[in-house]
Amino acid sequence: MSEVDLAAQVLDLVRTLSGPGTQAEVLVERRTLALTRFANSYIHQNVADTTTTVRLRLHRDGRTAGGSTTLTVADALRDLVQRTAAASRLCPPDPGWPGLAPPSPVDEPVAVDEDVIAATPADRAARVRAFVDACAGLPAAGYCRTAHGTSAFANSAGQSALGATTQASMDGVARSTAADGAARLAGPRLSDVDGAVLGARAAAKALAGAEPIELRPGRYEVVLEPLAVGDILQSLALYGFNGKAVNEHRSFVAPGEEQFDESVTLVDDPTGPGQAGLLFDAEGTPRRPLTLVRAGVTEAVVHDRRTAAVAGTASNGRALLGGASWGAVPQNLALLPGHGAAPAEVPGPAADSSVLDLVTGVRYGLLVSDHWYTRVLDPRPLVVTGLTRNGVWLIEHGEITRPVRNLRFTQSYPQALAPGGVLGVAAYSAPGASHWDLASYAAPALRLAGWNFTGGVSG
Amino acid sequence: MSEFDAATAAVEAALAAGARYADARVMYRRQESMTALNGEIEELVQDEDAGLGVRALVGSGWGFFAVPDLGSARGAGERAAAIAAASASVAGPAADLVPVPAGSATWASECLVDPLAVPLSDKGDLLVTATAEARRAGADLAEGLYHIWDTRKWFVSSEGHRIEQHIRECGAGIAATAVGEGETQRRSYPAFRGQYGTRGWELVDELDIGAHATRVAEEARALLTAPQCPAGQTTLILGSEQLALQIHESVGHAIELDRILGWEAAFAGTSWLELDRLGRLTYGSELMNIVIDPTIPGALGSFGYDDEGTPAARRYAVHNGQWVGVLSGRDSAAVAGLDYGGSVRSDGWARLPMVRMTNVGLEPGPHTLDEIVAATDDGVYMENNRSWSIDDKRLNFQFGCEIGWEVKNGRLGRMLRNPTYTGIGPRFWRSMDMLSGEIVTWGTPNCGKGQPGQIGHTGHPSAPARFTGVRVGVRG
């Protein structure tokens, strides 16, 4: 049975078992995920699964409940409807219920990549082999992942939508005695992922990390590569532009204010280059490209129906599954790249030529490859602590001179991107995959005037 | 087809397709969670998932495949073997498994009050009442939640295992947030995201979260005007909840054998521990006795058998300050030349079993918190985690807590806001000079690891303790 048919069947069951006054929405997702993982230069974990999840939320007599099942036989669907209806009757009232998404056209689905859908364990192993071989004897670790999702939405208000996504991604490190070097890429097509290119880039970084020096903590000018900028984008998405956080005054974001450097334009766009995402959200609201920051000025936050109702506005289609407590989150955030030549592979530790273009302007600072284990210390100003990982180098007079040991930082992300804080935006945005879902981001390298390093990894 | 029949069919199919070892888990899991905000229910969700995951070893290559339909068990076994064969194209060293006695067994966690049978109205009223009270007492955001997991699993291996387990877990908590000019302050009870265990609803009843609603709200509001935690080196006293997370991050993950072997190098990271120093490395002071113990009744990391069929067993990880044990699985133990696994679990039927923490925590010390404070002339006492971060070798950490207090001349003094501390794991643990015997086994239901990502449930016996020469008050 197709996802569309399953959704329709559940809606029929709601009408039959819960009565015509019940408001209901159904999301059926079929995910096929395959991931080939390697460490010490061999494949040590190799997994695949296909799961269909049927999610139901219903509202009746002022009360709301949700539920899901991975069982799709008729009895299981009937049980899902019955227990969710029963739960809604016993639940305390829900005065904030925002109603169902009204009928509204959803854009045509983005074409999926048949090569991702058809990818075999041998296809993924071949990319692993290419990565390992490109590491020229350095131990390698990482994964190659192919994922395909099909989703169907229907609600009792007459809204329906169907969409599909594909994503191929590879993430790996080459390991030398002193340092690891990383390379990571994601895209909607299997051909986006070239194990040899990524392996060579990771190895170049690892080899350039030998004999790192210890640097005194302090405030340094930095060039952050796309992997590190991707971490910033994901933090801004979760804690900054989240409509619930804004409603509850837990976010720094203030629409209409010049909160970022004028070189910063942020969009949430599932159709953007390299992005993977559906064109509707968990409530069936169309998810269209949305500019959150234009030339440094905050324009919008993202909403689901509940956060929008609180804010007195309309949902812009960013509802998450189970998002009532998390809020609404951009899932395809992109920092638009600057202008310049298309990037090319370069020797040495820089990820590509667009990074080197930024390095050239730095008199004394640090090149940071990646962030690790970043956590929010102070939510409102979004002060985050974390560490550098997979390579840090000193930049002197526009040249990358020496590797540096990893450092801990404690930094307000919006403050780092504030007016005057961004000294350069690279000409290329690299797409990256979320670790946890079929979400993605696109990040260029950034040159920032200051970054607050608060300790060395060795103490 | 019964669950055991399906698992057996999957294993037999994998063997027929060329596997030299195979195991399969059928799992059926029900979850229920509710959140409340400011006296109103935000969300109630009841989920169920069910399916079968099969793992096959072909030559030295592993493969895993999972399906929701038990009728597809044989096909799943064949797919797992085919994936394992593909692994052999980028092959590693020969894979072995340390022996585990085979046989049939059943196990169930203790549960006095089935949490799924407690009326939703009662559970809703609990959260509504507690958050309404916290809101009334001054919280701008008063949040409450509970979560229930009910998991049944059936395990079969090609070596003759046939094990059925039923594990019920639940827990709850509240948090109050006060919003000030440009900042927020939060207080939680009993811990950030609550306290959890392999117990029934009696655990939630014992927490009595409503009784703490006023206090957490008042403390959150008071924090907005409290002085900042001063920066510098000082004597640090940690409450047991914060120390539980310190154990989790700087001991539990560091002693995972898959990390030590480099199997997690690209993502979760490695470990500063090197196997050739097992038994010969000073991890902490002599007060430091860390035990791996999945047999603790009611603890969140407890089970009868791990997801490779190894019976739960207690062993030291750190004894009198010396590193003596690891968390391991059958294959990682064989690679390391050790003779025990027992710490392998999967987050549901669709995920590969991997090395995970069980219950990892401290044995009690000789002091009390009151004695520790009384013995401290100058320092800071911190409670309840707010933020955590640690490097990929599990050495350099920085934690933020919700609240701190000055300690002066053996007494608690002023409340401090934004308390943080940072350090290097072994130096920190070697500085522990006082440890309380007031053990609480904290449950951590959100331990992330693996690719695809898995969420693990872990337990951490912990007690208040004192550390010397610790850097506190780190800010951006």
Side-chain angles (χ1 to χ4, degrees):
Chain A
M1 187 179 292
S2 73
E3 291 81 79
V4 171
D5 292 340
L6 278 171
Q9 184 180 347
V10 173
L11 275 188
D12 283 344
L13 284 167
V14 171
R15 276 188 282 272
T16 304
L17 300 172
S18 187
T22 304
Q23 299 178 53
E25 62 186 16
V26 184
L27 180 66
V28 181
E29 296 181 298
R30 179 164 291 155
R31 295 280 180 86
T32 299
L33 173 69
L35 192 146
T36 299
R37 206 168 184 217
F38 56 105
N40 300 323
S41 300
Y42 67 90
I43 294 173
H44 68 309
Q45 294 172 1
N46 204 348
V47 305
D49 72 274
T50 297
T51 306
T52 298
T53 306
V54 180
R55 302 178 195 277
L56 169 67
R57 184 168 65 156
L58 56 80
H59 180 82
R60 181 182 175 181
D61 298 332
R63 297 158 196 267
T64 310
S68 74
T69 183
T70 61
L71 301 168
T72 56
V73 296
D75 286 350
L77 298 179
R78 174 177 288 268
D79 181 60
L80 170 67
V81 172
Q82 286 177 325
R83 66 182 156 84
T84 308
S88 72
R89 283 191 288 273
L90 292 169
C91 222
D94 176 14
W97 170 249
L100 297 173
S104 179
V106 172
D107 293 343
E108 283 294 309
V110 178
V112 297
D113 182 53
E114 294 299 331
D115 289 341
V116 168
I117 296 170
T120 65
D123 292 329
R124 289 181 293 278
R127 283 161 176 78
V128 170
R129 166 56 66 199
F131 189 105
V132 169
D133 288 349
C135 288
L138 293 177
Y143 74 78
C144 178
R145 179 176 82 170
T146 53
H148 169 221
T150 308
S151 300
F153 176 89
N155 71 20
S156 57
Q159 172 67 340
S160 64
L162 177 65
T165 56
T166 52
Q167 189 181 60
S169 55
M170 192 159 198
D171 181 345
V173 297
R175 310 183 63 202
S176 71
T177 310
D180 293 350
R184 193 176 300 156
L185 195 74
R189 295 173 300 275
L190 188 62
S191 60
D192 292 332
V193 172
D194 186 328
V197 169
L198 295 171
R201 190 182 297 170
K205 280 181 171 289
L207 291 169
E211 299 181 21
I213 60 170
E214 195 92 39
L215 207 63
R216 184 184 296 274
R219 186 175 161 85
Y220 289 85
E221 184 176 331
V222 290
V223 173
L224 303 182
E225 291 199 330
L227 303 186
V229 177
D231 164 68
I232 294 175
L233 292 187
Q234 292 180 85
S235 294
L236 292 174
L238 271 175
Y239 306 107
F241 293 95
N242 178 330
K244 185 169 194 278
V246 173
N247 287 347
E248 295 173 349
H249 308 288
R250 291 185 287 112
S251 165
F252 71 93
V253 168
E257 293 189 10
E258 187 181 343
Q259 297 190 290
F260 297 89
D261 189 87
E262 64 180 1
S263 61
V264 173
T265 293
L266 291 170
V267 299
D268 183 38
D269 182 3
T271 66
Q275 300 275 18
L278 293 172
L279 303 185
F280 58 93
D281 71 0
E283 296 174 329
T285 304
R287 205 156 69 92
R288 301 196 171 95
L290 178 67
T291 299
L292 302 175
V293 175
R294 190 187 303 275
V297 178
T298 300
E299 286 195 348
V301 300
V302 303
H303 284 296
D304 55 29
R305 294 186 60 77
R306 197 175 285 265
T307 66
V310 172
T313 185
S315 169
N316 45 32
R318 265 64 183 180
L320 293 180
L321 292 168
S325 52
W326 257 108
V329 175
Q331 290 191 281
N332 301 100
L333 194 57
L335 200 163
L336 296 191
H339 303 289
E345 296 297 318
V346 292
D352 60 35
S353 59
S354 75
V355 174
L356 272 189
D357 289 344
L358 296 180
V359 166
T360 303
V362 178
R363 192 183 66 79
Y364 188 79
L366 292 171
L367 172 65
V368 175
S369 299
D370 202 356
H371 285 173
W372 169 244
Y373 220 120
T374 53
R375 293 291 184 276
V376 176
L377 261 185
D378 198 351
R380 182 79 175 270
L382 198 49
V383 175
V384 172
T385 187
L387 300 117
T388 63
R389 188 174 176 181
N390 299 321
V392 184
W393 289 268
L394 192 63
I395 304 170
E396 297 173 289
H397 304 292
E399 300 283 340
I400 300 168
T401 54
R402 283 178 289 181
V404 174
R405 286 191 193 282
N406 281 318
L407 292 155
R408 174 172 289 286
F409 58 84
T410 306
Q411 172 67 51
S412 162
Y413 281 1
Q415 188 181 61
L417 302 177
V422 181
L423 305 179
V425 180
Y428 168 68
S429 279
S434 160
H435 286 303
W436 296 95
D437 201 1
L438 271 174
S440 57
Y441 63 86
L446 289 178
R447 178 184 164 199
L448 301 178
W451 196 262
N452 194 27
F453 293 99
T454 49
V457 161
S458 56
Chain B
M1 180 183 282
S2 76
E3 290 82 4
F4 273 131
D5 288 345
T8 302
V11 167
E12 288 175 348
L15 296 176
R20 63 186 176 92
Y21 170 84
D23 58 32
R25 274 154 301 280
V26 173
M27 295 178 70
Y28 176 66
R29 179 167 58 181
R30 296 170 66 195
Q31 297 186 58
E32 180 181 291
S33 63
M34 187 184 287
T35 57
L37 174 67
N38 293 343
E40 293 175 2
I41 296 301
E42 269 194 319
E43 190 163 50
L44 163 66
V45 179
Q46 296 175 320
D47 297 326
E48 69 173 355
D49 65 272
L52 173 147
V54 56
R55 190 172 67 146
L57 180 60
V58 175
S60 61
W62 284 103
F64 175 85
F65 193 75
V67 290
D69 172 20
L70 299 192
S72 304
R74 288 200 63 83
E78 292 163 0
R79 290 284 294 273
I83 292 170
S87 299
S89 66
V90 190
D96 288 311
L97 301 172
V98 294
V100 172
S104 298
T106 61
W107 188 85
S109 59
E110 277 185 19
C111 178
L112 300 180
V113 181
D114 180 358
L116 289 175
V118 175
L120 280 170
S121 52
D122 291 357
K123 291 183 276 197
D125 288 347
L126 174 71
L127 299 186
V128 165
T129 303
T131 57
E133 173 56 24
R135 173 78 164 160
R136 190 200 58 74
D140 292 299
L141 302 168
E143 299 164 286
L145 85 167
Y146 74 77
H147 205 126
I148 299 164
W149 300 265
D150 186 313
T151 305
R152 294 176 185 271
K153 42 187 168 181
W154 297 262
F155 174 75
V156 169
S157 83
S158 57
E159 295 176 346
H161 295 92
R162 193 178 167 93
I163 297 168
E164 180 177 357
Q165 296 191 81
H166 183 195
I167 299 175
R168 284 182 278 195
E169 308 152 281
C170 71
I174 54 170
T177 299
V179 179
E181 283 298 317
E183 70 172 312
T184 60
Q185 293 292 340
R186 186 190 74 212
R187 285 293 283 136
S188 306
Y189 171 80
F192 176 49
R193 296 194 181 121
Q195 163 68 326
Y196 298 87
T198 49
R199 299 180 63 195
W201 194 253
E202 66 275 9
L203 165 63
V204 177
D205 286 337
E206 290 166 14
L207 293 175
D208 195 10
I209 60 175
H212 297 265
T214 300
R215 176 182 61 82
V216 295
E218 291 175 348
E219 287 182 351
R221 188 139 294 282
L223 279 166
L224 288 174
T225 53
Q228 290 272 8
C229 176
Q233 276 208 342
T234 191
T235 298
L236 174 66
I237 304 170
L238 292 179
S240 69
E241 187 260 2
Q242 172 56 34
L243 191 58
L245 192 63
Q246 178 80 47
I247 294 165
H248 178 102
E249 301 292 356
S250 71
V251 182
H253 280 305
I255 61 172
E256 290 168 342
L257 186 54
D258 54 349
R259 297 179 66 115
I260 294 169
L261 294 173
W263 293 1
E264 289 288 325
F267 181 51
T270 58
S271 174
W272 66 279
L273 297 168
E274 295 171 353
L275 269 180
D276 60 2
R277 301 188 70 189
L278 182 61
R280 298 187 295 112
L281 180 137
T282 301
Y283 208 123
S285 73
E286 289 199 350
L287 284 170
M288 185 185 187
N289 287 290
I290 298 277
V291 177
I292 300 165
D293 189 359
T295 71
I296 300 171
L300 191 62
S302 294
F303 49 75
Y305 299 81
D306 80 348
D307 283 337
E308 291 186 312
T310 303
R314 183 181 194 273
R315 73 178 67 250
Y316 278 103
V318 179
H319 194 213
N320 297 331
Q322 299 297 304
W323 176 41
V324 295
V326 297
L327 294 154
S328 58
R330 296 183 63 190
D331 56 349
S332 55
V335 169
L338 301 172
D339 62 359
Y340 59 88
S343 299
V344 164
R345 290 190 289 167
S346 69
D347 178 12
W349 54 273
R351 291 291 173 260
L352 177 75
M354 61 189 304
V355 174
R356 303 292 301 196
M357 271 178 252
T358 60
N359 300 308
V360 177
L362 281 163
E363 289 190 323
H367 307 104
T368 67
L369 175 59
D370 288 345
E371 290 169 354
I372 294 172
V373 171
T376 304
D377 291 334
D378 187 14
V380 177
Y381 172 55
M382 298 185 191
E383 267 188 4
N384 284 76
N385 183 262
R386 187 163 93 160
S387 174
W388 64 101
S389 173
I390 190 164
D391 75 2
D392 58 317
K393 293 186 185 305
R394 297 284 150 175
L395 268 175
N396 178 303
F397 60 80
Q398 181 166 315
F399 289 97
C401 291
E402 291 181 351
I403 194 167
W405 286 271
E406 281 181 342
V407 180
K408 294 286 185 192
N409 303 316
R411 301 172 70 91
L412 291 184
R414 296 182 302 169
M415 179 186 290
L416 301 172
R417 81 179 199 272
N418 299 332
T420 59
Y421 68 98
T422 187
I424 301 296
R427 283 186 218 159
F428 180 78
W429 285 106
R430 288 168 198 163
S431 81
M432 181 170 71
D433 68 348
M434 295 186 82
L435 174 63
S436 159
E438 297 149 309
I439 292 283
V440 175
T441 300
W442 294 96
T444 303
N446 60 327
C447 177
K449 189 179 174 185
Q451 292 169 314
Q454 300 193 36
I455 302 295
H457 293 184
T458 66
H460 303 290
S462 174
R466 190 174 82 168
F467 302 84
T468 59
V470 181
R471 184 181 169 201
V472 303
V474 183
R475 280 187 287 279

